[in-house]
Amino acid sequence: MSDTHTRVDRHQLFAPVVLAVSVAVLLGATMSSQPYLVDFRVYMLGGAALSHPETLYSFAYSAQSPDQPLPFVYPPFAAVVFWPLTVLPVEVAGLLWQLAMLVAVYAIVWISQRMVGVGSHRSAMLWTAGVVWLEPVRIAVQLGQVGVFLTLAVLYAVYTNRWWLSGLLVGLAAGVKLTPAITGLYFLGVRRWSAAAFSAVVFFATVALSFLVVGDQVVHYFTQVMGDTSVNPIGIAINQSWRGAISRILGHDAGEGTLVLGAIAATAVLALLAWRALGAGSGPRDQLGSALVVQLFGLLISPISWIHHWVWVVPLAIWLLRGPWHDHPGARILGWGWLLVTFLGVPSMLASAEPSLWQISRPWYLAWAGLVYVVATLVTLVWIAVTGRRATAAGGIR
């Protein structure tokens, strides 16, 4: 065994300790930060509101967020899922929730490594110890956001070959929060018709179950709450979507105007080119890379993509740095670039310089700096498309 391998093995011996210390420090930091578990408290209140279903979409939690009272804006099925949490004191439930989130982050790393064919449990521990400090993960843990679990569900749905399990996971995830439904495009793209159809069946089953529990609140959600973005500060820097980015540049909410729709159309073309590149050559389609293209596309076209929605950066970094294209020019630059930007927390720093949550207008340099995740995504999609084209022309993709 070489000296390099010996050093790596010795480092990995301490992986459990490194992970435990990193997690302990992170939990300590989040407990002393504000707002602490604010989204989780909204979930708890949503579950408790099932005792009085007519209040599900009328309350707004403001104890920790007086400048932005937070209503329950998730599908009614989410309240059903969160209801069992209400039997515990919020402090106990919150800590258990955060610990479960950190286990989910480890699972995301482990599955990502399996999908690219590298790594071990100890290397997954070291990766987890590091990625929990990336802005999307760190903020998600601080707020107690459900998105980490949804990312894990979708990632495993892509990983497993069991159509019923894939459909079940994506359907349930979309029932809790609509954004995972974009995964249906992945299923259709790889011709997993049964998984796509069953995910739709499961999603509509969650709607039917919700109707039995909360009645016409289901109709209220899909006709009133679902498309209402007025309850959110659309222009704040932590909204890393096309709509948020363009709104900051214009100085007002761009809505679904020409610029936003044009940007979405251009992104769709880039995503399609990247998708085709990942299926080029004589080998099988790159499973993880293809899923990442779909999820990145979904993040940009969504009206609101808070930084904690970008947990997909974790499998993206693993794919870039350890995946089948890791030795192509630019892969390491992109991988380490994503890690650096998300570790520094550029959108959060920009948001701290904003005078008000609701003020969209800002100096031009702050507005353009707020494109950071958007530009990084576009560069990534272009790199995938160009790299795939070059590798195909050269006779194959390694």
Side-chain angles (χ1 to χ4, degrees):
M1 182 179 293
S2 68
D3 291 340
T4 300
H5 288 161
T6 301
R7 286 195 297 271
V8 171
D9 291 342
R10 286 174 180 172
H11 291 160
Q12 291 191 1
L13 285 175
F14 298 98
V17 176
V18 173
L19 178 58
V21 171
S22 181
V23 165
V25 174
L26 177 66
L27 289 177
T30 59
M31 288 178 183
S32 61
S33 62
Q34 291 297 328
Y36 172 57
L37 292 180
V38 63
D39 287 340
F40 177 75
R41 293 172 191 272
V42 174
Y43 303 155
M44 293 276 284
L45 290 172
L50 294 185
S51 301
H52 304 281
E54 69 280 357
T55 68
L56 182 58
Y57 295 109
S58 61
F59 78 85
Y61 177 71
S62 60
Q64 295 188 57
S65 55
D67 295 331
Q68 184 195 3
L70 299 175
F72 191 85
V73 293
Y74 305 92
F77 179 69
V80 176
V81 171
F82 298 138
W83 175 78
L85 297 173
T86 61
V87 302
L88 296 172
V90 65
E91 293 80 9
V92 174
L95 179 58
L96 293 175
W97 182 264
Q98 286 185 309
L99 291 173
M101 289 178 69
L102 293 167
V103 172
V105 174
Y106 170 81
I108 289 170
V109 171
W110 170 241
I111 294 170
S112 299
Q113 288 186 335
R114 292 291 298 272
M115 293 178 77
V116 299
V118 299
S120 63
H121 282 293
R122 288 184 180 270
S123 67
M125 291 179 188
L126 292 176
W127 266 92
T128 304
V131 300
V132 295
W133 291 98
L134 301 183
E135 182 180 43
V137 180
R138 185 178 71 248
I139 298 300
V141 174
Q142 177 188 339
L143 301 179
Q145 253 289 328
V146 71
V148 172
F149 298 110
L150 302 183
T151 300
L152 173 59
V154 169
L155 187 64
Y156 194 79
V158 171
Y159 172 67
T160 182
N161 292 322
R162 288 173 285 184
W163 64 267
W164 63 270
L165 182 55
S166 296
L168 178 66
L169 289 171
V170 172
L172 290 175
V176 172
K177 196 171 184 177
L178 295 179
T179 48
I182 192 73
T183 311
L185 291 180
Y186 171 84
F187 288 150
L188 295 176
V190 296
R191 300 182 180 182
R192 295 185 63 182
W193 313 118
S194 297
F198 192 54
S199 66
V201 169
V202 172
F203 171 73
F204 285 112
T206 67
V207 176
L209 175 61
S210 302
F211 191 82
L212 294 176
V213 177
V214 298
D216 60 2
Q217 289 292 288
V218 173
V219 177
H220 177 69
Y221 171 78
F222 285 101
T223 59
Q224 302 293 326
V225 178
M226 183 176 70
D228 183 11
T229 59
S230 64
V231 298
N232 293 296
I234 201 81
I236 192 170
I238 60 173
N239 178 18
Q240 288 291 306
S241 69
W242 266 127
R243 181 171 170 181
I246 293 174
S247 296
R248 289 189 289 271
I249 292 172
L250 295 179
H252 61 80
D253 186 358
E256 297 176 354
T258 303
L259 286 177
V260 174
L261 294 179
I264 289 174
T267 305
V269 173
L270 276 179
L272 180 59
L273 292 173
W275 175 274
R276 292 182 61 185
L278 289 163
S282 58
R285 168 170 290 280
D286 188 312
Q287 192 180 33
L288 179 56
S290 298
L292 288 168
V293 167
V294 172
Q295 298 302 326
L296 291 174
F297 174 65
L299 286 165
L300 288 193
I301 69 172
S302 176
I304 297 174
S305 290
W306 303 129
I307 48 176
H308 54 71
H309 294 174
W310 288 79
V311 175
W312 284 100
V313 168
V314 174
L316 175 61
I318 293 172
W319 182 77
L320 287 167
L321 295 174
R322 304 299 303 277
W325 290 14
H326 75 278
D327 58 347
H328 285 269
R332 292 185 179 277
I333 294 174
L334 276 174
W336 286 107
W338 272 109
L339 291 175
L340 178 62
V341 167
T342 52
F343 176 76
L344 293 176
V346 175
S348 293
M349 290 191 291
L350 293 172
S352 66
E354 297 171 352
S356 168
L357 286 174
W358 302 96
Q359 181 177 326
I360 298 178
S361 178
R362 67 203 61 213
W364 66 268
Y365 49 88
L366 291 179
W368 285 94
L371 285 165
V372 57
Y373 281 19
V374 176
V375 170
T377 299
L378 296 179
V379 172
T380 301
L381 293 176
V382 169
W383 178 83
I384 293 172
V386 172
T387 299
R389 184 180 181 88
R390 288 176 176 172
T392 303
I397 299 175
R398 294 190 297 276

